[in-house]
Each structure stands twice: as C-alpha cells, then as structure tokens.
Amino acid sequence: ELCKHSKTSIDALPTIISKAVALSNENKRTQSIESAVQAAQTTLGVYPKRGVVWTIIKELVWIKSYFRRHKDKDILEMPLMTDPKHLLSMQLLSQIISSAMQNGRVMEWLVAMVKSIRVTIKHGVCEHAALAFTFLGLLTFIQGDSKGAIRFANLATSILQRTNGESTKGFVYVVCPATIFRWSKSAVFCIDYMHRGYHAAMGCGDIESGSVAFFAANAHAYYDGYPMHDLYKACGLLENEMKLYKVDVNKQLLLQFTNGLSMLLGQKPIDWGKFEHFGDTNWSITESDEVLDEKELLYPLIYGLSFRILISMLFSK
C-alpha cells in the first residue's frame, strides 16, 4: 500500500527493502529474494533479467583483472558514496546476498556480489560494500586462493572501519572467521569475532544477522571442543531472545542443534525408530511433525543430518 502512494519508484525502495528484511526474518527467504531481485531489475537496473551466468563470469573476470592492477588502498581511499540511489542499490543488493547465502541460492548471491563491487568501484565506498568483499573472499577461498581470500576479508573489515558500518557487521563478522580466518587464526579469535558481530547486529536491529552470528559462535565452539553443557545453555539464551522479539528466523537451525546437544548429553531420549526411517519429511531430529521446505531450511537440514549421523555412529547404530 505504501509503494502505491510513493511519488516515484525510487521513493518506494526503502519500503521494498524493509519488506524483504521482514520476509527474511520470518524465514520466508525465497519470497524475500524474489521481491528484492525484482526491484533491483525493474527499478534500479543493477540486476540482469537474463544471461545470469554470463554476467557472473564477465564481472568476475573484470574484478580479478582490476585487483591485479590495483592495491587495496585504491578502494579504501575512494570517496564515500553519497548518492541516495546508489546507496539504495547497495542496500538492496546486500539484502539479496545475505538471504540468498542462507537459502543456498548461489547464483543470486554471486550476481548481487559482483554488481555490488561494480557499483562500489564506480561510485564510491559504503558499508554495504564490506559484505560484497566478504563474499568475494569466500568465493576466492573456495577457488583455492587462501591468500587472496584473506586479502578481501581484510579489505571488508577495513571498509567497515572507514565507514563506521554497523548494519552489515553481523554477517561480515560471521563469514570471515567461519570460512576464511578459521584456517589462519585461533578458535578464540574467530569466536570472539562472531560475538562482536552478534552485538553489532542486534544493536542496529538486524535480528537475522545477530541470530546467525550467535549460533555460528556456538557451533564453532562445539567443533572446537568447548563444554556442551555451556553451549546448550547459550542456545537456550538465544531461543529466549528470539521468543522475546517474536521472530522465527533460524528457529529450525537452533532446534536441530539444541536437540542434537541434548541427546549427546543424555538429557533427551533418542527415538531410534525415527532415526532409522529417513524420508523427505523425516530428516529433522526435533519433536515437530511439521513438513519443512528444504529450500527455506538448507542449514537446518545439514545440521539435522549431521547430528543423526554422529549420534548413530557413537551409539553403534
């Protein structure tokens, strides 16, 4: 309704972005992505309507060439972005990146990432550029270039410092330590990074990024051998916080993790009948009989299956 009364399509963008954020917070990430992509295509023209794969390849070749010829200071010394339209473009593309990443929509976050970097180099730096460079670092790491990945991760954190950015710090401070710094920094360093991301995200009302950061810190502490009793209590605090804010974002992810911990701690009996009859709607290790949409719940699916395998292995099943 607000969009209908906007004088121009650009005036409607803050409302569209808010809607995309709200949908993502409700675990409706597919709708969130589609809404944001449509606005990026029709209103801003920063997202291709066709030829997505070709766009990704072309832009990545250009980006790689640019950074072979330029130093990091060339980005950091760029003027700050001030044009409202470009700032809205970066905010919208940033929302696509975060939602698509959590939903396993690789093409969408790749397109949004390369377009964000293109806009940054052309029009200046803003805090949302940090998220794009974080994911460029992630892609570079996946391609086997750990040195390049660290370069882009450090560039992302430097951009946050330059712009006093808080709204994207939650995701930047999760992805960098979880995927890039983890192989060169200590567990304490990475987990502290994630906690800082949690506080920054919650401080600016980004509950989705905040919950991801808090959960990621606990998950990495679990894999690094921290006491499970402490992690189980911490997950309870996050669950209570989500209830307080009345949001369902990452609810199933947390449920899979806490139920897995409670079974390993002996606080909850294991339903072997459910474990041994795996099916498309029976991957969860929670008590819920809810039929879950795997497109919306990629990471809960991974954790549910991981704990199923681990518990079965430990108890010789």
Side-chain angles (χ1 to χ4, degrees):
E1 187 66 29
L2 287 172
C3 293
K4 292 179 182 178
H5 294 286
S6 300
K7 293 181 179 180
T8 66
S9 56
I10 298 295
D11 291 338
L13 281 176
T15 302
I16 293 171
I17 293 170
S18 296
K19 178 184 176 183
V21 172
L23 287 169
S24 193
N25 281 338
E26 293 174 4
N27 256 335
K28 298 176 181 177
R29 293 196 180 103
T30 299
Q31 295 179 43
S32 173
I33 295 164
E34 290 172 352
S35 172
V37 166
Q38 184 179 14
Q41 288 175 332
T42 57
T43 305
L44 294 168
V46 293
Y47 196 103
K49 293 184 178 180
R50 58 183 66 87
V52 170
V53 175
W54 167 244
T55 297
I56 294 170
I57 294 172
K58 181 183 67 174
E59 294 289 350
L60 281 175
V61 169
W62 181 82
I63 290 168
K64 295 286 186 182
S65 174
Y66 178 89
F67 281 98
R68 280 195 297 267
R69 294 179 285 109
H70 293 81
K71 296 181 179 180
D72 295 353
K73 69 174 185 177
D74 294 329
I75 293 290
L76 295 174
E77 291 177 357
M78 284 181 174
L80 294 177
M81 188 180 295
T82 56
D83 184 273
K85 181 178 179 180
H86 298 317
L87 287 169
L88 286 170
S89 295
M90 291 295 291
Q91 189 177 351
L92 190 61
L93 291 169
S94 181
Q95 178 60 33
I96 294 171
I97 292 172
S98 60
S99 292
M101 179 265 184
Q102 293 187 83
N103 211 28
R105 300 276 288 267
V106 178
M107 289 297 178
E108 281 85 350
W109 74 251
L110 280 173
V111 172
M113 176 197 74
V114 296
K115 288 298 185 181
S116 293
I117 294 172
R118 171 73 81 166
V119 173
T120 297
I121 293 172
K122 189 174 182 180
H123 299 290
V125 177
C126 71
E127 64 175 302
H128 297 286
L131 190 63
F133 282 106
T134 296
F135 278 84
L136 180 60
L138 173 59
L139 177 64
T140 305
F141 182 80
I142 292 169
Q143 293 172 332
D145 181 5
S146 58
K147 185 177 179 180
I150 291 171
R151 176 190 180 186
F152 292 127
N154 286 332
L155 182 57
T157 56
S158 296
I159 288 172
L160 287 178
Q161 293 172 2
R162 164 103 195 274
T163 59
N164 295 318
E166 292 291 323
S167 66
T168 60
K169 187 179 284 187
F171 255 111
V172 172
Y173 276 31
V174 169
V175 177
C176 286
T179 62
I180 300 171
F181 294 151
R182 182 165 176 78
W183 309 105
S184 60
K185 302 288 187 180
S186 69
V188 172
F189 174 91
C190 293
I191 292 169
D192 177 65
Y193 231 71
M194 295 175 192
H195 281 145
R196 289 161 61 192
Y198 161 76
H199 289 295
M202 298 302 288
C204 63
D206 185 359
I207 299 171
E208 180 178 29
S209 297
S211 65
V212 169
F214 194 96
F215 174 81
N218 286 330
H220 279 73
Y222 164 75
Y223 288 119
D224 284 312
Y226 282 61
M228 287 192 291
H229 283 95
D230 294 341
L231 298 178
Y232 185 76
K233 291 178 182 178
C235 287
L237 293 174
L238 178 58
E239 185 177 0
N240 290 335
E241 196 165 59
M242 291 168 66
K243 288 178 180 177
L244 175 66
Y245 291 113
K246 298 180 180 179
V247 294
D248 290 331
V249 61
N250 299 312
K251 173 184 174 182
Q252 281 295 333
L253 180 61
L254 183 63
L255 284 173
Q256 301 305 312
F257 191 73
T258 52
N259 275 272
L261 287 177
S262 65
M263 290 178 189
L264 289 173
L265 289 167
Q267 296 178 357
K268 181 177 181 179
I270 302 169
D271 185 350
W272 290 113
K274 186 171 184 179
F275 265 52
E276 293 168 0
H277 292 87
F278 176 76
D280 291 340
T281 60
N282 185 33
W283 56 267
S284 173
I285 58 172
T286 69
E287 297 175 353
S288 173
D289 293 325
E290 179 185 2
V291 178
L292 302 171
D293 181 0
E294 293 178 16
K295 292 180 180 179
E296 297 287 355
L297 298 159
L298 173 66
Y299 292 102
L301 171 62
I302 292 171
Y303 273 95
L305 291 176
S306 296
F307 272 111
R308 180 191 293 268
I309 293 167
L310 176 62
I311 291 168
S312 299
M313 181 187 71
L314 290 175
F315 294 96
S316 301
K317 291 285 184 177

